[in-house]
């Protein structure tokens, strides 16, 4: 994809691409600091600043010769034409959701008989409606609703469907429209977003759409985005606007392709981590990133129609509700997810683990719940990994020994030439290196001359030095999508060890807090796209989860998305999520004295 950019003095090419809306196609995990080396573009035409030392470190001579540059290091000096990497098909988990409980949606429709025009008792229109509406006291309404109802009565209509937000009339519809009360259930992930279109009358999900979070070009992790929002003039607004614009675009896309009138969408429910919900609301988020990690709000927020970041003219009647969070690092994605799998109603002791840019863990059952969040780092999302990538075409997502030939066998998304390695492939690779004896239990790459005799020759030949680093070669430049080698390095393995140790130590801390052994846990819910994609066997092999849990794992998919749908449709579910906000115990690991010791112990690849 080639993008043409107007010249704006004094900003980097990455910033210009963000302003143009094209940065969605770029990876920029470090948020523009020049340290990740991922924001690679090709300058097709135009004048710009000279190659920096950071670019010389990150790019090969061949790449520089071809005009490749790091977008965050380039200062345009005039009009520019820039070639962006091919946008891979984002493979985002957006599995189908079915709701089967008692339907008590956030927005309801109730058909009522209208009073005769000019009744002799002189009962006002709204007093008549108050007696006609069933099950609702203190009916309230706005002047706009009163005006439209008065006109309907004047016209001589006999009945109308009132659209109700609790006891508040938000709109009236002619009787024929009763069946069309729609809502959106939204999961705002740090990396990816899913919007589902929900029929609130029947409780069915009609359609859904997924996309990358456009804030990714400001950094792959929430901390980079909080820094941008807190430190840069207008940064918070920039992050809020790009998110709201993208969500509205996804909502419009869903409505148009399903033939839904924008005026019949009455509610959007948003799940997401606490930082995402602060950024969505345009609320200064710095407290989340700095000790003692205090968010501005955790309660559910409701923006009535016409207000809030989505309250413009596109969906004029749409209310926006944010699902309650528990703490700075246990967000609405987790409260909604835990309720969606039903952990808060079960007698059996369960562990809920959601590994993304952070690792959130909940342990408990219907009588008590305790949770924590680990700074697992985004290694499992491909960030901070030399050839790491998201789930895009060409990403190596599965990897194993080729048993018949003693070599390596891998699969890429879309069957494309290898372009990098994503989270599930990273776990497979770490497990394979340890299993085959190419690294020791401390995660040290063994010198080639010290490799055990059992290591097959083909795997041994992949243990090379590249750019001064010890690496395991996955694909040579000639085989890869971009002509550069794809590899997994010693430094990458250290990142994986840190991430897996953080999750494992978090689990251990919760178990110790409840004074139970891992064996007492009856089921492990592995949530999120990562949980569904990984080889559970390999995750256990590198000690991501305690070995006692090996036969108890259930991959439960995108529970945040499912929770957002249920929140839209069930009062009981909404109450349960609120109970989790108020009652689930939260442990802040950075204040836990024993945590660092556990973290160190779990750095070994054989610590389960
Ligand atoms: Fe440019 Fe990280 S090096 S965004």
């Amino acid at each position: 994809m080639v993008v043409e950019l107007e010249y704006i003095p004094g900003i980097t090419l990455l910033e210009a691409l963000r302003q143009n809306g094209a940065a969605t196609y770029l990876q920029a995990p470090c948020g523009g600091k020049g340290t990740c080396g991922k924001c690679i573009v090709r300058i097709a035409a135009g004048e710009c600043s000279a190659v920096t030392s950071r670019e010389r470190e990150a790019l090969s001579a061949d790449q520089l010769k071809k005009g490749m540059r790091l977008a965050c290091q380039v200062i345009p000096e005039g009009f520019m034409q820039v070639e962006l990497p091919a946008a891979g098909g984002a493979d985002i988990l957006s599995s189908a959701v079915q709701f089967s409980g008692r339907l008590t949606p956030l927005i309801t429709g109730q058909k009522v008989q209208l009073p005769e025009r000019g009744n002799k008792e002189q009962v006002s229109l709204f007093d008549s409606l108050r007696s006609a509406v069933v099950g609702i006291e203190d009916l309230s309404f706005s002047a706009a609703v009163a005006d439209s109802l008065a006109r309907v009565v004047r016209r001589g209509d006999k009945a109308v469907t009132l659209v109700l937000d609790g006891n508040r009339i938000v709109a009236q519809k002619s009787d024929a429209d009763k069946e069309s009360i729609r809502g959106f259930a939204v999961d705002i992930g740090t990396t990816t977003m899913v919007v589902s279109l929900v029929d609130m009358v029947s409780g069915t999900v009609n359609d859904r759409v997924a996309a990358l979070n456009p804030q990714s070009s400001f950094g792959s992790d929430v901390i980079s985005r909080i820094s941008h929002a807190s430190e840069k003039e207008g940064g918070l607004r920039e992050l809020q606007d790009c998110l709201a614009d993208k969500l509205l675009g996804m909502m419009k896309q869903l409505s148009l392709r399903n033939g839904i009138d924008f005026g019949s969408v009455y509610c959007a429910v948003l799940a997401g981590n606490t930082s995402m919900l602060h950024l969505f609301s345009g609320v200064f988020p710095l407290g989340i990133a700095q000790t003692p990690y205090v968010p501005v709000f955790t309660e559910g927020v409701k923006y009535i129609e016409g207000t809030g970041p989505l309250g413009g003219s596109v969906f004029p009647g749409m209310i926006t509700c944010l699902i309650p969070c528990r703490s700075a690092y246990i967000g609405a994605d987790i409260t909604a997810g835990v309720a969606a799998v039903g952990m808060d109603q079960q007698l059996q002791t369960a562990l809920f683990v959601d590994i993304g840019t952070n690792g959130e863990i909940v342990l408990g059952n219907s009588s008590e719940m305790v949770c924590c969040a680990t700074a697992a780092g985004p290694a499992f999302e491909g960030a901070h990994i030399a050839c790491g990538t998201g789930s895009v075409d060409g990403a190596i997502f599965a990897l194993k020994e080729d048993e018949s030939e003693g070599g390596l066998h891998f699969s890429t998304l879309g069957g494309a030439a290898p372009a990098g390695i994503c989270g599930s492939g990273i776990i497979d690779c770490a497990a394979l290196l340890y299993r085959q004896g190419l690294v020791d239990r401390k995660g040290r790459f063994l010198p080639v001359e010290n490799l055990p005799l059992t290591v097959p020759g083909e795997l041994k030949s992949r243990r090379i030095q590249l750019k001064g680093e010890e690496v395991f070669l996955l694909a040579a430049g000639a085989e890869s999508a971009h002509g550069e080698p794809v590899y997994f390095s010693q430094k990458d393995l250290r990142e994986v060890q840190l991430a897996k140790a953080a999750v494992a130590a978090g689990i251990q801390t919760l178990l110790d807090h409840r004074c139970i052994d891992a064996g007492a846990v009856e089921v492990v819910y592995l949530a999120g796209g990562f949980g569904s994609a990984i080889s559970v066997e390999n995750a256990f092999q590198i000690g991501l989860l305690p070995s006692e849990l090996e036969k108890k794992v259930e991959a439960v998919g995108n529970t945040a998305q499912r929770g957002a749908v249920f929140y839209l449709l069930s009062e009981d579910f909404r109450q349960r999520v609120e109970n989790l906000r108020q009652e689930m115990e939260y442990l802040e690991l950075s204040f836990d004295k024993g945590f660092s010791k556990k973290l160190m112990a779990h750095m070994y690849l054989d610590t389960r």
Side-chain angles (χ1 to χ4, degrees):
M1 166 173 165
V2 176
V3 182
E4 299 192 340
L5 296 165
E6 293 297 330
Y7 174 53
I8 307 172
I11 64 170
T12 66
L13 180 54
L14 178 63
E15 287 166 326
L17 287 165
R18 280 177 189 151
Q19 291 187 10
N20 174 286
T24 307
Y25 300 102
L26 270 189
Q27 287 191 66
C30 76
K33 295 193 182 75
T35 53
C36 69
K38 305 270 182 188
C39 58
I40 302 172
V41 297
R42 194 180 74 79
I43 310 293
E47 297 294 314
C48 60
S49 55
V51 173
T52 65
S53 54
R54 289 201 165 153
E55 289 177 286
R56 286 193 201 289
E57 277 166 29
L59 302 170
S60 67
D62 192 40
Q63 283 177 303
L64 288 170
K65 210 161 107 205
K66 287 179 185 154
M68 308 285 208
R69 301 287 302 271
L70 295 182
C72 69
Q73 299 294 297
V74 174
I75 310 283
E77 291 170 353
F79 163 87
M80 292 199 80
Q81 242 187 18
V82 179
E83 194 181 321
L84 301 179
D91 179 38
I92 297 165
L93 195 77
S94 58
S95 50
V97 178
Q98 278 317 321
F99 174 74
S100 57
R102 193 169 77 87
L103 200 56
T104 41
L106 263 167
I107 303 293
T108 54
Q110 192 172 134
K111 183 181 168 187
V112 292
Q113 295 303 314
L114 288 169
E116 296 280 316
R117 188 151 51 119
N119 59 79
K120 295 215 174 56
E121 293 78 23
Q122 298 187 331
V123 180
S124 76
L125 169 57
F126 272 92
D127 280 338
S128 303
L129 290 176
R130 280 186 187 104
S131 0
V133 169
V134 179
I136 295 170
E137 286 170 12
D138 304 328
L139 201 62
S140 68
F141 53 90
S142 65
V145 169
D147 177 63
S148 71
L149 275 165
R151 289 169 195 278
V152 168
V153 174
R154 270 280 142 197
R155 202 167 63 203
D157 286 12
K158 297 273 178 284
V160 74
T161 295
L162 299 179
V163 179
L164 295 153
D165 167 24
N167 66 346
R168 194 170 64 89
I169 305 176
V170 292
Q172 57 81 22
K173 297 169 80 70
S174 66
D175 191 37
D177 286 332
K178 183 185 179 312
E179 296 308 313
S180 55
I181 296 177
R182 299 298 210 289
F184 293 121
V186 181
D187 168 30
I188 309 176
T190 310
T191 311
T192 57
M193 312 197 293
V194 181
V195 180
S196 300
L197 173 68
V198 183
D199 181 331
M200 290 163 58
V201 176
S202 65
T204 50
V205 176
N206 301 128
D207 196 2
R208 63 194 176 279
V209 66
L212 296 172
N213 185 327
Q215 293 178 343
S216 300
S217 69
F218 296 89
S220 61
D221 57 295
V222 293
I223 300 301
S224 315
R225 297 184 208 171
I226 290 175
S227 305
H228 184 83
S230 313
E231 288 159 17
K232 193 182 165 210
E233 177 80 33
L236 177 56
R237 188 61 197 260
E238 218 177 342
L239 287 166
Q240 183 187 27
D241 285 352
C242 76
L243 188 55
D245 289 351
K246 185 72 188 179
L247 287 175
L248 281 171
M250 293 165 81
M251 290 169 174
K252 279 199 271 187
Q253 183 190 351
L254 273 177
S255 304
L256 290 170
R257 82 176 181 207
N258 287 278
I260 302 297
D261 174 18
F262 292 171
S264 65
V265 180
Y266 291 102
C267 193
V269 160
L270 271 56
N273 63 48
T274 313
S275 302
M276 286 304 116
L277 297 189
H278 277 56
L279 294 175
F280 171 82
S281 296
V283 173
F284 190 66
L286 194 57
I288 294 175
Q290 291 182 342
T291 180
Y293 313 114
V294 180
V296 178
F297 64 91
T298 55
E299 45 277 276
V301 171
K302 183 192 277 186
Y303 297 103
I304 65 165
E305 61 278 11
T307 66
L310 303 177
S313 54
V314 184
F315 297 99
M318 189 167 81
I319 290 161
T320 307
C321 295
L322 311 190
I323 296 179
C325 304
R326 171 61 188 84
S327 66
Y329 289 101
I330 295 288
D333 49 345
I334 304 303
T335 53
V338 165
V341 297
M343 231 175 116
D344 57 324
Q345 297 183 307
Q346 294 165 357
L347 293 176
Q348 63 177 353
T349 298
L351 191 65
F352 178 96
V353 184
D354 188 345
I355 302 169
T357 37
N358 269 326
E360 292 100 350
I361 308 159
V362 183
L363 173 70
N365 52 28
S366 56
S367 51
E368 57 178 332
M369 295 269 206
V370 57
C371 61
C372 68
T374 61
F380 294 139
E381 300 221 323
H384 301 177
I385 299 290
C387 296
T389 181
S391 302
V392 299
D393 284 352
I396 297 174
F397 69 91
L399 187 73
K400 61 178 181 183
E401 302 84 344
D402 185 336
E403 268 151 28
S404 56
E405 295 176 20
L408 183 71
H409 176 82
F410 60 72
S411 309
T412 60
L413 288 172
I421 181 164
C422 65
S424 53
I426 288 166
I427 298 242
D428 286 358
C429 189
L432 177 140
L433 291 176
Y434 180 53
R435 189 166 56 234
Q436 289 291 340
L438 287 132
V439 302
D440 64 15
R441 64 185 287 268
K442 291 183 180 164
R444 193 172 58 105
F445 273 50
L446 296 175
V448 179
E449 58 280 12
N450 292 354
L451 289 177
L453 293 173
T454 48
V455 177
E458 210 271 342
L459 293 184
K460 206 179 275 187
S461 69
R462 292 174 181 269
R463 257 294 283 115
I464 57 169
Q465 276 207 342
L466 202 67
K467 301 179 189 167
E469 267 202 282
E470 300 298 327
V471 310
F472 181 69
L473 185 69
L474 299 172
E479 305 163 79
S480 78
H482 38 54
E484 294 297 314
V486 178
Y487 58 88
F488 187 77
S489 71
Q490 172 72 77
K491 201 165 145 286
D492 296 338
L493 185 56
R494 295 292 181 222
E495 291 284 341
V496 172
Q497 284 177 274
L498 261 176
K500 82 100 183 172
V503 173
I507 293 173
Q508 191 59 53
T509 304
L510 294 188
L511 291 169
D512 290 352
H513 184 74
R514 287 280 310 273
C515 301
I516 57 172
D517 293 329
V521 173
E522 290 159 271
V523 59
V524 181
Y525 298 117
L526 260 193
F530 180 73
S532 297
I534 59 168
S535 149
V536 172
E537 202 181 317
N538 285 338
F540 278 101
Q541 182 134 46
I542 63 163
L544 181 63
L545 298 165
S547 53
E548 293 91 327
L549 303 178
E550 191 153 2
K551 297 275 176 282
K552 301 176 180 175
V553 173
E554 218 180 281
V556 285
N558 187 339
T559 50
Q561 184 208 5
R562 205 178 314 155
V565 172
F566 295 173
Y567 196 91
L568 193 59
L569 297 176
S570 163
E571 172 56 32
D572 172 57
F573 189 85
R574 291 190 285 278
Q575 190 53 54
R576 286 169 48 209
V577 171
E578 177 57 22
N579 292 346
L580 287 169
R581 178 180 92 82
Q582 293 184 24
E583 291 164 14
M584 184 160 60
E585 187 181 1
Y586 173 68
L587 298 187
E588 174 51 53
L589 295 178
S590 55
F591 303 157
D592 185 296
K593 290 202 185 72
F595 182 71
S596 337
K597 218 166 149 193
K598 292 187 183 97
L599 187 72
M600 293 319 293
H602 283 279
M603 287 289 285
Y604 293 105
L605 289 167
D606 59 354
T607 311
R608 315 264 195 265

